[in-house]
C-alpha cells in the first residue's frame, strides 16, 4: 500500500487532478495531529511559567469547547463504525482504525488546551489557530474529491461524518480568530500590531507626544527584568565563591590516601599547582552565563523561528524550477500552474510572518538586555567602594551604560546569523550542486575571494574613520573656543586668522572623507557586481567544461535566485563577527565593573544601643583602599548625645576622611564605629541634583510648609529665592550650575536641616559662603542657639571665630587625633591646637577667607566644562540630546550672571560675553520661547525646497548626471539578464554549441559595464557629496563670523555648535550614504517593474493599486517613526545625566539612605525611554509585514501572468520575470527605510541653511572709504549726540551723549552697574551700532569705514582675559605681523618675560583651552602684551571686576602709564584709586553723562563722584 502519489497521471496530467485515497486517509489528517502533539508539551510548559490570571467562562469559550467535544465524537463514530464493520467480517485496512483514533485523541487534546489557556489567561492562541488552519487546508482536498466523485458514494456514514467534521473545523478556525475577554487582575497587555495602527493614525494626523505611547508590558519593565538578571548574577558569584573555597581546601587537605605515598613530593606539588591553575580559571564569575540564563529561553523562541524561516527560504527556488518546467510542457493542466503561483505566494507570506516574529523576539530580548544591564550597573554604582570608583571615571561608567549596553542591544538582532548564515550557505550550495554540479565551485571561489577584499576595505575605512573623528573633534573644539570668545575676536579684528585655522582642519577632514568615499565606491561595486560575477563564472565554466552541458532556463534562473539568497549571509558574516568581538570587549568591561568590591554595610554599627554617646569610634584604623596604608590611624572619639564637636586641623590632615569613615565610606581595617540613629550629611563640595530647588531640599521627604519656611530662613536662602526666576520652583541645572558656590552650600545645608536626623555630619559647610552669611548660619543653624541644638553635630571647620562656642574640639594631625577637649582646656595645654590658632592669626583669617572663596569658586567653575566633557563620548550618537542639555546650560549660565555677587563675576568665564544690564527675567523670557521653537522645527513633512538646496550644493548638473548614471547601470543589468534569458532559450531550439562564446562574451560585457557604471556613479556621488559638504560648511562659517554680537548673546552656544558638529556630520557622512542606498533601491525596484512589464505587459494594471498601497503605508510609517525616534532620543539623555549625577553624589545618597528611591528613579527613566523604543520596534515589524506583503503580491501576479500567458512566453522570460519579482521585496523594504532616513537626515541641510542666512553685520572692509594707513594720527575722539541700544525692541542704553576728547588724554569712566560704562567702549568698536548720532575719530566718521579697518586701529584690554588654545605666539600675534624681537619686547614690558623664558618651548608654549594652564593674573598680562604689540593711538581698558590680585593690577597700571603716555586711554574703573591721576573722569548715570571734569574738580563739586570716592575712602 503506497502512501505517496506515484501515479502522476492521476495527479498532474489530468484536468481533474486528485490525490490517491490512501494519501487522503493517512498523510493529510495526520499532518495537523503531528503538529499539535509536537507543539503542545512546549506550549504547556510555557503557559505554566507565564501565568496571567484566569479568564471567566464566556459564550465563545463554551462554544469552542462543545465543538471540540463534537469533533471528538465525530472521529470516534468513524472508529466505532470500523469496529462494527469488522464484527460484520468486512475487513478494512488498518488505516481506517489508526486515523480516526489519532484524530479523535488530537481533538481531545485541543479541547483540553482551550480550557487550559483560559485558566492561564491567554486571550488568543497562536498554537491552536495554526492547528485549525492546517486541519482545514488538509481537509479541503478530500472535500473536493468527494464532491467531484460523489456519484458513487457507497459509504454513506463516513461521507456524512466527513462533511460534519469539515464544517466543525471550519467554524473552529473562524472562532479562533476572535479574542477572549482580558483576564482578571491583569495590568493590560495589549496586542501591539492592532494598537500600532491606532497610534500610527494618531501620529499621521499630528506629531506624537509622550502621552500617546502605550505603557510598557509588565515583563519588559525594569522592575521585573533587572532583579531577574541580578539573581542569576548572584548565583554566578556564589558559585565562583564556592569553587574558590574548594580550591583552597584542596590545597590544604593532606595527601592521606595510600596511593599518594608512591608519588614523590615534588610531583605532588606540581599536580597541586596544575589543579590550582585550573581552579583559577574557573574562579571569575561569568556575566555571560547570567545573561544567558536570564534572557536565553525567550531568545531561543526567536531562534526557532529563524530556523524555520531559513528552511522556507529555499522552497521558492524549487517552486520556480517547477514553474519554468510547467511553461515548457505544452500539455500541462492550468490548475497546476495556478497552484504553483499561489504556493509561491503562500511560502513568501509565511516567510514574512515567521521572519518578523523572529525579529520581534530578538528586539524585545535586546531591549530587556539593555534594561537589565543599565539597571545592574546603576545598582552597582551605588554600592562600590571608593577604591573601585577611582579605577573608573564617571565618563567611563556612563559609557558602560550608553555605549556597551547599546552594543549588546544591537548584537541580539544579529546573533542568530552566527549559526543561520553557515546553514543558509550550506543549503544553497547543496541545491546549486544538484543544479549545476561541480561548476558551482567556480562561483563560490569568486565569493570567497571577495571576502578578504571587503575585509581589507573595511579595515582601511575604519582607520580613516578614526582619523576623521580626530579632525572633527579638533574642529569642534576650536569652534567651541571661537564661539566662546567671539566677542574678543571681533574686538581685535582677528576673525580672518581663526577662520583660516578652521578651514585648514576642515580641509584635512575633507581629504580623509574623499579617501573614504573612494573606498566605499569600490566596496559598492564589489557588492553590486558580486552576484553577477559569480553567475558569470559559474555559467561560463558550466558551459565550457562539457559539450553536453546546456544552460536552460531552469538551471540559469534557479541558480540566480539561489545566488541571491547566498549574497546576504556572506555579507552578514563579517559584520556579525566584528560586532561579536565588540560585544565581547563590552562584556568584559561590564563584568569587571560588576565584580568590583562593594562597601560593607555592616562596617558602621547603626543599632540604637542605649549608651550616652551618639557617635563612638574605638581604636579605629581606616584606609581608602584595602591595600593602601591607613589614612586614619588609631582613632578614638566619643561624642556625647546632643553635643557639638568641631574638628580642626591643617589642610590634608584627615578631617574629611574622618567624616567619611563615620559614614562607612572607608575600608575599616580594625576597631569599631557605632552611630545611634539616622544621619544627615553635608559634603564639602555641595552635591545638587538637576531638579527644582524645593526638591533638592526636601530630598524625598514630605513637604511641610511651616518646617520648610523655617529651614529656608535659617539657611539664609529666603533672599536668594527672590532673585531666582522661579522662586523655589526654579529648575537647577546639572551640578547646580545656575547657583553660586555659596548658594549650593546653603541648599546642601538646608537639605540636612530638613531631614530631621539624629546625627549631623557637616564637612566644612561654611567655607564657601561670605563671612557675614557664615556667621548667620552658625548662629541660626549649627551653634548652641541654632535650629540644631540638642542634636549631635560634628562640624569640620576652618573658621576660628566659631571655636569658642562649641562644646568640644578635636584636633587632627596627620591622620591621628592629637588632642580633644573644650576651647579653654586646649588653650591651656598649649599643644597642637594653640599652634594652629597662632598660625591662623586673625588678620590672616580674613585674607584667607577671601582666598578660599576664590579658590572654591575657581574649582566650581571648572565643573560645568567638565560636565560636558564627561558626555562628549555620547555626543556622537546622541547629539540632539546634548543639544538640549547644552542649551540648558548656556541658558542657565546667562541667567545666573546677573545674580552673582560682583566678586565672583570674573570667574564666570563662560559668561563673559553676556554682561548686559537687563533684568534676569527679561532675559529669560525670550530664551524659553527660543528653546521651544528650535525643537518644533523638526516635525512634519520636509519641504521640497530643502532637497533642491542640497542638489544646488552638489551642483544641479552633477545631480542629474548621477541619476543618469544610475539609470544606465540599471539598464546594463536588465540587459545582461535579458541576454541570459535569450541564451537559455537556445536550449529549446537546439542551436547551443555554435554560439556559446558569443553568448558568454556579450553577457560578460554587459555585466562588467554594469560594474564599471556602478563604480562611476559612486565616484561622482562622492565628488558631489564632498562639494556639497564643503559649500554648506563654508557658507555657515562665513555667516557665523559675520554675524553681529547680539545674535551670540541671544543664542545658546550649544545650539550653534550643534550645527557645526551634528548637522555637518550628517551632511558629510550620513546623508550621502542614505542617498546612495535610496537611489540603489529605487532603481532596483524600478527595473523589476520594467522587466515584469516587458515580459507580461498586463502587469502594468496591477502596479497602480500596489503603488498606492505602498505610498500610504510609507507615509504612515515615516510620520510615526520619525516622531518615535525623536521621542526616544529625547528620553534617552535623562538616563545618563541622572546616572552621572548619582555617581557624583553616592556618598550623600547613601548617608541619607535614599538608595532604593534613586534606583526607582533610574528604572523609571529607563522604562520611559523603552516606552518610546518599543513602539519603534513594532512600527518596523508593522512596516515590514505590510511592505513584504506588497512584494509577495508582485511575486503572485508575476507568476500568475506567466501561467496565463504561458503559450506566448519563452521559459527564459518566465524565469526572468519571476526571479526578479522574488528579489523585489527586499528593495521595497529598504526603500521605505531609506525614504524615512532621507527625510530625517535632510533636515540637517535645512538647519545649516537656517544659520547660514542669519542677518550679518557691516562689511569688514569698505574699499572706497578706507582710511589712510597712519590713521588716527592724533587720537581725538568725539561723540556727537550719540544714542545706542543693544537690540531692536530694547530700551536705549546710552542717551544723547556728546563729548570731545583730545588726543593723548586719559579718561576714567565710572558709574554704577548698568549705567552704560561697557556700552561706551562697545560703541567705539561698533559692536553696537548707533541708534542715533555718531562718533568721529580724527575727522573720520567711524560708521562709514569697514569694521576691520576700524577695529584694527583701536586696542582693548578686556575685563575677562580670553586665551585660545594654541601657542602663546599665536595668542599674541595670530597674523604673524611682528618679528620675534618685538614679541619678546612686549613680553618684557608686560612682565611675562621671566615666566616665558623659563618654559622649555619659549614662545611656542601651548596654551590649553581657555588658557587653563596659566593663572588668571598671567592671562591678564598676556592681554596687556597683545595691547603693547598693537600699540595703537587709542586704548580702551576694561578693568577686571575682582582684582585678579593687586600686584598684577599695579603692574598693568604702571606699564600703561609709561608705554601709552601719548595715546588716548579710556579706562572703565571699578577701583577709583587707579584713575585719580587721570586728566578727566566721566561719570555716567542711567545712560547719560552726569559729570565730566578733572578728578579734583569733581570731588570739590560733591556730586556722585564724591560719594563714590568717599565710599572708597579716597575723599
Amino acid at each position: 500500500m503506497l502512501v505517496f502519489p506515484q501515479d502522476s497521471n492521476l495527479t498532474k496530467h489530468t484536468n481533474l487532478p486528485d490525490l490517491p485515497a490512501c494519501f487522503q486517509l493517512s498523510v493529510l489528517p495526520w499532518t495537523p495531529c503531528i503538529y499539535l502533539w509536537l507543539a503542545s508539551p512546549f506550549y504547556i510548559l510555557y503557559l505554566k511559567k507565564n501565568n496571567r490570571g484566569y479568564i471567566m467562562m464566556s459564550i465563545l469559550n463554551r462554544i469552542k469547547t462543545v465543538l471540540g467535544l463534537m469533533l471528538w465524537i465525530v472521529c470516534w463514530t468513524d472508529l466505532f463504525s470500523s469496529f462494527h464493520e469488522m464484527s460484520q467480517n468486512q475487513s478494512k485496512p488498518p488505516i481506517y482504525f489508526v486515523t480516526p483514533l489519532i484524530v479523535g485523541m488530537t481533538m481531545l487534546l485541543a479541547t483540553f488546551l482551550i480550557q487550559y489557556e483560559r485558566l492561564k489567561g491567554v486571550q488568543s492562541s497562536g498554537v491552536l489557530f495554526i492547528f485549525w488552519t492546517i486541519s482545514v487546508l488538509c481537509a479541503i482536498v478530500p472535500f473536493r474529491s468527494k464532491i467531484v466523485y460523489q456519484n458513487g458514494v457507497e459509504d454513506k456514514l463516513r461521507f456524512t461524518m466527513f462533511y460534519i467534521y469539515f464544517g466543525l473545523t471550519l467554524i473552529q478556525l473562524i472562532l479562533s480568530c476572535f479574542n477572549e475577554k482580558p483576564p482578571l487582575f491583569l495590568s493590560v497587555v495589549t496586542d501591539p500590531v492592532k494598537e500600532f495602527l491606532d497610534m500610527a493614525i494618531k501620529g499621521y494626523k499630528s506629531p506624537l507626544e509622550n502621552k500617546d505611547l502605550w505603557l510598557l508590558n509588565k515583563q519588559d519593565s525594569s522592575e521585573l527584568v533587572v532583579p531577574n538578571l541580578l539573581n542569576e548574577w548572584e548565583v554566578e558569584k556564589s558559585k565562583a565563591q564556592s569553587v574558590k573555597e574548594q580550591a583552597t581546601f584542596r590545597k590544604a587537605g593532606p595527601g592521606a590516601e595510600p596511593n599518594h605515598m608512591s608519588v614523590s613530593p615534588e610531583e605532588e606539588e606540581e599536580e597541586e599547582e596544575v589543579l590550582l591553575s585550573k581552579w583559577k580559571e574557573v574562579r571569575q564569575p561569568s556575566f555571560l552565563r547570567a545573561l544567558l540564563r536570564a534572557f536565553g529561553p525567550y531568545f531561543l523562541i526567536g531562534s526557532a523561528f529563524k530556523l524555520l524561516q531559513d528552511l522556507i527560504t529555499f522552497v521558492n527556488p524549487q517552486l520556480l524550477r517547477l514553474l519554468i518546467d510547467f511553461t515548457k510542457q505544452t500539455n500541462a493542466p492550468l490548475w497546476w500552474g495556478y497552484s504553483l503561483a499561489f504556493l509561491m505566494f503562500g511560502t513568501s507570506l509565511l516567510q514574512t510572518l515567521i521572519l518578523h516574529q523572529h525579529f520581534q523576539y530578538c528586539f524585545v530580548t535586546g531591549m530587556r538586555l539593555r534594561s537589565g544591564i543599565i539597571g545592574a550597573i546603576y545598582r552597582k554604582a551605588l554600592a562600590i567602594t571608593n577604591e573601585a570608583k577611582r579605577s573608573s571615571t564617571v565618563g567611563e561608567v556612563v559609557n558602560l551604560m550608553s555605549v556597551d549596553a547599546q552594543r549588546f542591544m544591537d548584537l541580539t538582532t544579529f546573533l542568530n546569523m552566527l549559526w543561520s548564515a553557515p546553514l543558509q550557505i550550506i543549503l544553497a550550495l547543496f541545491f546549486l550542486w544538484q543544479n549545476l554540479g561541480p561548476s558551482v565551485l567556480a562561483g563560490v571561489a569568486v565569493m570567497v575571494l571577495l571576502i578578504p577584499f571587503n575585509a581589507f576595505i573595511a579595515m582601511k575605512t575604519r582607520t580613516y574613520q578614526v582619523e576623521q573623528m580626530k579632525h572633527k573633534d579638533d574642529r569642534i573644539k576650536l569652534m567651541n573656543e571661537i564661539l566662546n570668545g567671539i566677542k574678543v575676536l571681533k574686538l581685535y579684528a582677528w576673525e580672518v586668522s581663526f577662520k583660516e585655522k578652521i578651514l585648514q582642519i576642515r580641509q584635512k577632514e575633507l581629504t580623509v572623507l574623499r579617501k573614504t568615499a573612494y573606498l566605499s565606491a569600490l566596496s559598492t561595486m564589489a557588492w553590486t557586481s558580486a552576484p553577477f560575477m559569480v553567475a558569470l563564472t559559474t555559467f561560463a565554466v558550466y558551459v565550457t567544461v562539457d559539450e553536453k552541458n546546456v544552460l536552460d532556463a531552469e538551471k540559469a534562473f534557479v541558480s540566480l535566485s539561489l545566488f541571491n539568497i547566498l549574497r546576504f549571509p556572506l555579507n552578514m558574516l563579517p559584520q556579525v563577527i566584528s560586532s561579536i568581538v565588540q560585544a565581547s570587549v563590552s562584556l568584559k568591561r561590564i563584568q569587571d565593573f560588576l565584580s568590583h568590591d562593594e562597601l560593607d554595610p555592616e562596617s558602621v554599627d547603626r543599632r540604637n544601643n542605649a549608651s550616652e554617646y551618639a557617635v563612638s569610634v574605638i581604636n579605629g584604623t581606616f584606609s581608602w583602599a584595602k591595600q593602601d596604608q591607613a589614612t586614619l590611624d588609631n582613632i578614638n572619639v566619643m561624642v556625647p548625645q546632643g553635643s557639638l564637636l568641631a574638628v580642626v586641623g591643617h589642610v590634608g590632615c584627615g578631617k574629611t576622611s574622618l567624616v567619611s569613615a563615620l559614614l562607612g565610606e572607608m575600608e575599616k581595617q580594625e576597631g569599631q564605629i557605632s552611630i545611634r540613629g539616622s544621619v544627615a550629611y553635608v559634603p564639602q563640595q555641595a552635591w545638587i541634583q538637576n531638579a527644582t530647588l524645593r526638591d533638592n531640599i526636601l530630598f524625598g521627604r514630605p513637604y511641610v510648609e511651616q518646617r520648610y519656611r523655617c529651614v529656608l530662613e535659617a539657611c539664609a536662602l529666603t533672599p536668594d529665592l527672590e532673585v531666582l526666576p522661579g522662586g523655589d520652583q526654579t529648575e537647577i541645572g546639572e551640578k547646580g550650575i545656575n547657583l553660586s558656590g555659596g548658594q549650593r552650600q546653603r541648599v546642601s545645608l538646608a537639605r540636612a536641616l530638613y531631614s530631621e536626623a539624629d546625627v549631623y555630619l557637616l564637612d566644612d559647610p561654611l567655607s564657601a559662603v561670605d563671612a557675614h552669611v557664615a556667621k548667620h548660619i552658625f548662629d541660626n543653624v549649627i551653634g548652641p542657639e541654632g535650629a540644631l541644638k540638642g542634636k549631635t553635630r560634628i562640624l569640620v571647620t576652618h573658621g576660628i571665630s566659631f571655636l569658642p562656642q562649641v562644646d568640644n574640639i578635636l584636633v587632627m594631625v596627620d591622620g591621628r587625633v592629637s588632642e580633644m577637649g573644650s576651647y579653654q582646656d586646649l588653650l591651656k595645654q598649649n599643644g597642637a591646637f594653640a599652634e594652629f590658632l597662632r598660625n591662623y592669626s586673625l588678620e590672616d583669617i580674613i585674607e584667607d577667607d577671601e582666598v578660599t572663596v576664590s579658590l572654591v569658586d575657581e574649582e566650581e567653575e571648572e565643573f560645568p566644562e567638565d560636565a560636558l566633557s564627561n558626555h562628549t563620548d555620547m555626543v556622537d550618537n546622541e547629539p540632539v540630546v546634548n543639544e538640549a542639555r547644552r542649551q540648558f546650560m548656556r541658558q542657565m549660565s546667562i541667567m545666573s550672571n546677573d545674580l552673582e555677587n560682583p566678586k565672583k563675576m570674573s570667574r564666570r568665564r563662560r559668561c563673559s560675553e553676556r554682561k548686559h544690564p537687563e533684568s534676569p527675567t527679561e532675559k529669560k523670557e525670550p530664551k524659553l520661547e527660543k528653546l521651544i521653537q528650535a525643537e518644533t522645527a523638526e516635525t512634519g513633512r520636509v519641504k521640497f525646497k530643502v532637497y533642491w538646496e542640497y542638489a544646488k550644493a552638489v551642483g544641479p548638473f552633477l545631480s542629474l548626471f548621477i541619476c543618469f548614471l544610475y539609470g544606465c547601470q540599471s539598464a546594463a543589468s536588465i540587459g545582461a539578464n535579458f541576454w541570459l534569458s535569450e541564451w537559455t532559450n537556445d536550449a529549446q531550439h537546439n542551436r547551443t554549441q555554435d554560439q556559446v562564446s558569443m553568448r558568454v562574451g556579450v553577457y560578460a560585457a554587459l555585466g562588467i559595464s554594469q560594474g564599471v557604471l556602478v563604480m562611476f556613479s559612486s565616484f561622482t556621488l562622492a565628488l558631489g557629496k564632498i562639494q556639497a559638504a564643503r559649500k554648506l560648511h563654508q557658507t555657515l562659517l562665513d555667516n557665523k563670523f559675520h554675524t553681529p554680537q547680539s545674535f551670540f548673546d541671544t543664542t545658546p552656544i550649544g545650539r550653534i555648535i550643534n550645527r557645526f558638529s551634528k548637522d555637518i556630520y550628517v551632511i558629510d557622512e550620513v546623508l550621502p550614504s542614505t542617498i546612495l542606498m535610496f537611489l540603489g533601491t529605487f532603481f532596483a525596484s524600478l527595473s523589476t517593474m520594467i522587466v515584469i512589464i516587458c515580459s507580461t505587459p498586463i502587469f502594468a494594471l496591477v502596479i497602480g493599486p500596489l503603488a498606492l498601497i505602498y505610498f500610504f503605508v510609507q507615509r504612515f510609517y515615516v510620520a510615526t517613526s520619525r516622531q518615535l525616534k525623536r521621542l526616544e532620543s529625547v528620553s534617552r539623555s535623562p538616563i545618563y545625566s541622572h546616572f552621572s549625577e548619582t555617581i557624583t553624589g553616592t556618598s550623600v545618597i547613601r548617608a541619607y539612605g535614599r538608595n532604593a528611591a534613586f534606583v526607582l528613579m533610574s528604572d523609571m527613566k529607563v522604562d520611559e525611554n523603552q516606552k518610546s523604543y518599543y513602539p519603534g520596534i513594532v512600527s518596523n515589524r508593522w512596516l515590514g509585514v505590510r511592505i513584504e506583503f506588497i512584494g509577495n503580491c508582485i511575486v503572485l501576479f508575476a507568476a500568475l501572468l506567466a501561467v496565463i500567458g504561458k503559450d506566448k512566453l519563452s521559459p527564459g522570460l518566465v524565469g526572468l520575470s519571476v526571479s526578479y519579482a522574488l528579489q523585489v521585496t527586499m528593495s521595497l523594504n529598504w526603500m521605505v527605510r531609506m525614504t524615512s532616513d532621507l527625510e530625517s537626515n535632510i533636515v540637517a541641510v535645512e538647519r545649516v541653511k537656517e544659520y547660514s542666512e542669519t542677518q550679518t553685520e557691516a562689511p569688514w572692509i569698505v574699499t572706497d572709504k578706507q582710511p589712510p594707513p597712519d590713521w588716527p594720527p592724533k587720537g581725538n575722539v568725539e561723540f556727537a549726540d550719540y544714542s545706542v541700544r543693544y537690540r531692536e525692541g530694547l530700551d536705549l542704553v546710552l542717551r544723547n551723549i556728546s563729548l570731545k576728547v583730545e588726543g593723548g588724554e586719559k579718561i576714567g569712566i565710572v558709574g554704577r552697574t548698568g549705567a552704560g560704562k561697557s556700552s561706551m567702549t562697545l560703541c567705539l568698536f561698533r559692536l553696537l551700532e548707533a541708534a542715533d548720532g555718531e562718533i568721529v575719530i580724527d575727522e573720520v566718521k567711524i560708521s562709514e569705514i569697514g569694521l576691520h579697518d576700524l577695529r584694527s586701529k583701536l586696542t582693548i584690554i578686556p575685563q575677562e582675559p580670553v586665551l585660545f588654545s594654541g601657542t602663546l605666539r599665536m595668542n599674541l600675534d595670530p597674523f604673524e605681523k611682528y618679528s620675534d624681537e618685538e614679541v619678546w619686547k612686549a613680553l618684557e614690558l608686560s612682565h611675562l618675560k621671566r615666566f616665558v623664558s623659563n618654559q622649555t618651548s619659549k614662545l611656542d608654549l601651548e596654551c590649553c583651552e581657555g588658557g587653563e594652564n596659566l593663572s588668571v593674573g598671567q592671562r591678564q598680562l598676556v592681554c596687556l602684551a597683545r595691547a603693547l604689540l598693537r600699540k595703537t593711538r587709542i586704548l580702551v581698558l576694561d578693568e577686571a571686576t575682582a582684582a585678579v590680585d593687586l600686584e598684577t593690577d599695579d603692574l598693568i597700571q604702571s606699564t600703561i602709564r609709561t608705554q601709552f603716555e601719548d595715546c588716548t586711554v579710556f579706562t572703565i574703573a571699578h577701583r577709583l584709586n587707579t584713575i585719580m591721576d587721570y586728566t578727566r573722569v566721566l561719570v555716567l548715570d542711567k545712560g547719560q553723562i552726569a559729570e565730566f571734569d578733572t578728578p579734583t574738580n569733581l570731588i570739590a563739586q560733591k556730586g556722585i563722584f564724591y560719594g563714590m570716592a568717599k565710599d572708597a575712602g579716597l575723599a
Side-chain angles (χ1 to χ4, degrees), residues 1276-1280 1296-1303 1305-1311 1320 1464-1467 1475 1478-1485 1488-1499 1501-1506:
N1276 300 341
V1277 180
E1278 182 183 352
F1279 282 76
N1296 312 344
I1297 289 203
S1298 301
L1299 62 119
K1300 264 200 170 113
V1301 175
E1302 296 302 320
E1305 271 196 286
K1306 308 280 179 286
I1307 305 288
I1309 304 175
V1310 294
M1320 281 278 296
T1464 314
V1465 180
F1466 291 90
T1467 304
I1475 56 163
Y1478 276 24
T1479 38
R1480 286 193 283 174
V1481 174
L1482 169 69
V1483 183
L1484 285 174
D1485 188 39
Q1488 285 164 321
I1489 300 180
E1491 305 169 1
F1492 185 36
D1493 209 338
T1494 58
T1496 34
N1497 293 357
L1498 287 178
I1499 286 177
Q1501 280 179 24
K1502 301 229 165 177
I1504 301 180
F1505 185 73
Y1506 171 73

Side-chain angles (χ1 to χ4, degrees), residues 135-370:
S135 302
V136 170
L137 286 176
C138 288
I140 285 178
V141 178
F143 179 79
R144 175 181 167 282
S145 54
K146 282 192 165 54
I147 292 177
V148 175
Y149 302 113
Q150 102 195 55
N151 43 18
V153 179
E154 309 94 52
D155 198 339
K156 294 277 191 305
L157 175 74
R158 282 208 179 81
F159 190 74
T160 330
M161 282 305 156
F162 175 76
Y163 278 114
I164 294 173
Y165 166 84
F166 184 76
L168 292 176
T169 39
L170 196 60
I171 295 171
Q172 283 282 33
L173 173 63
I174 294 164
L175 288 181
S176 66
C177 296
F178 295 106
N179 255 3
E180 284 286 352
K181 290 206 294 286
L184 298 173
F185 331 115
L186 168 81
S187 55
V188 180
V189 177
T190 49
D191 161 30
V193 174
K194 190 170 105 240
E195 297 287 317
F196 177 74
L197 198 60
D198 305 343
M199 190 198 292
I201 291 170
K202 206 180 266 175
Y204 186 66
K205 289 179 187 154
S206 63
L208 282 176
E209 286 162 37
N210 225 347
K211 58 176 195 302
D212 302 328
L213 304 174
W214 326 306
L215 297 173
L216 210 56
N217 284 342
K218 188 83 167 172
Q219 60 269 34
D220 296 332
S221 64
S222 295
E223 95 184 81
L224 286 183
V225 172
V226 184
N228 181 7
L229 175 62
L230 286 177
N231 292 342
E232 298 293 357
W233 175 234
E234 285 309 317
V235 171
E236 264 307 307
K237 281 203 294 204
S238 54
K239 263 193 205 161
Q241 211 48 41
S242 61
V243 164
K244 195 168 151 193
E245 282 154 23
Q246 256 177 326
T248 44
F249 171 73
R250 276 264 175 124
K251 181 77 175 162
E257 292 94 46
N259 64 353
H260 267 249
M261 290 309 174
S262 58
V263 181
S264 65
E266 295 86 33
E267 280 182 39
E268 189 177 321
E269 282 284 284
E270 277 178 24
E271 192 177 318
E272 286 292 343
E273 283 303 309
V274 171
L275 268 173
L276 259 184
S277 66
K278 274 192 192 150
W279 285 120
K280 268 185 198 128
E281 287 164 29
V282 180
R283 222 206 91 236
Q284 270 280 321
S286 150
F287 186 56
L288 183 63
R289 272 192 225 130
L291 284 176
L292 287 176
R293 279 215 296 282
F295 305 112
Y298 186 80
F299 185 67
L300 281 176
I301 305 177
S303 305
F305 278 118
K306 180 74 183 142
L307 180 67
L308 257 177
Q309 192 251 337
D310 281 354
L311 297 175
I312 295 176
T313 311
F314 289 98
V315 174
N316 263 339
Q318 303 311 317
L319 290 174
L320 177 63
R321 161 182 299 151
L322 290 174
L323 187 66
I324 294 175
D325 191 40
F326 161 80
T327 48
K328 280 187 192 166
Q329 296 168 358
T330 40
N331 59 348
L334 272 181
W335 67 268
W336 175 238
Y338 290 142
S339 45
L340 278 175
F342 276 105
L343 269 174
M344 275 183 145
F345 178 64
T347 42
S348 305
L349 206 57
L350 197 59
Q351 193 181 331
T352 298
L353 293 172
I354 290 175
L355 180 66
H356 288 292
Q357 272 299 320
H358 153 243
F359 276 143
Q360 182 72 8
Y361 278 103
C362 287
F363 275 110
V364 171
T365 311
M367 182 170 123
R368 289 183 187 175
L369 253 178
R370 178 164 171 250

